[in-house]
Amino acid sequence: MPAPFVSSVMEVEKAWLDYNGHMNMAYYNVLFDRGGEEALDLLGMGAAYARDRKLTTYTAEIHVCYVRELHLGDKVTATFHLLDHDEKRFRVYQELHHVDGWLSATSETLSLHVDMSGPKVAPFPQDIMAGLDAMRLAHTALPMPERAGRSIGIRRKPA
């Protein structure tokens, strides 16, 4: 298992630009999602998993930090670092890196494993859990990302 997983190169599309001339915030999530889908495919939880086994993942919570803006034509990759998982959930930290090496944005996500017949949250099948266990083992060698576990708030200076 690659540690972290790194997606294929993706490019900022014209339709994603806002009136400020940079990529609209919503499309950072698109890039994180596309990169994450490649990692989920590696784990056996991609589109075929939903179609054939009627099992999928839903995002329960996401926290994005915008570090440096992206513009039309910028090329990026998304990392996928599995921080934790249990029998029904997994927590992932991702980074968008410009192909020149600089960090554009980070994302931390908590996802749920879902049986589409409910839909309802359901345990991972044994084969999927084995893949998650293997990825988590490979990713334990990585340091805990500095931006993981952050919360939103306004820091105030003491009066």
Side-chain angles (χ1 to χ4, degrees):
M1 287 281 177
F5 173 86
V6 179
S7 75
S8 59
V9 175
M10 303 172 281
E11 185 173 340
V12 174
E13 300 175 16
K14 186 176 182 179
W16 298 353
L17 302 184
D18 63 18
Y19 54 83
N20 293 313
H22 61 251
M23 191 168 78
N24 179 278
M25 64 181 216
Y27 295 99
Y28 287 82
N29 282 322
V30 170
L31 290 170
F32 283 124
D33 190 55
R34 287 182 179 175
E37 282 296 319
E38 291 181 27
L40 291 180
D41 281 339
L42 177 69
L43 290 166
M45 290 191 289
Y49 184 64
R51 181 188 67 240
D52 300 340
R53 295 174 74 174
K54 305 300 183 225
L55 299 167
T56 192
T57 62
Y58 286 6
T59 299
E61 184 175 344
I62 190 165
H63 186 151
V64 177
C65 293
Y66 305 96
V67 178
R68 184 170 169 185
E69 66 187 10
L70 292 172
H71 298 90
L72 179 63
D74 282 347
K75 291 177 175 54
V76 299
T77 58
T79 63
F80 185 97
H81 178 170
L82 182 62
L83 297 176
D84 197 8
H85 72 286
D86 64 15
E87 69 279 354
K88 298 179 183 180
R89 303 171 294 182
F90 60 98
R91 178 180 163 213
V92 171
Y93 174 81
Q94 292 181 273
E95 293 183 343
L96 285 181
H97 288 272
H98 190 275
V99 292
D100 290 343
W102 49 267
L103 178 65
S104 174
T106 66
S107 175
E108 187 173 357
T109 307
L110 179 65
S111 297
L112 308 173
H113 185 252
V114 174
D115 178 338
M116 295 166 67
S117 68
K120 63 184 176 202
V121 178
F124 294 107
Q126 255 186 329
D127 60 320
I128 299 300
M129 182 60 95
L132 285 166
D133 288 342
M135 181 177 276
R136 179 71 186 112
L137 181 62
H139 291 191
T140 57
L142 298 170
M144 178 59 79
E146 179 185 330
R147 291 178 178 269
R150 294 177 63 162
S151 64
I152 295 175
I154 298 174
R155 294 186 184 154
R156 304 211 185 267
K157 294 180 182 177

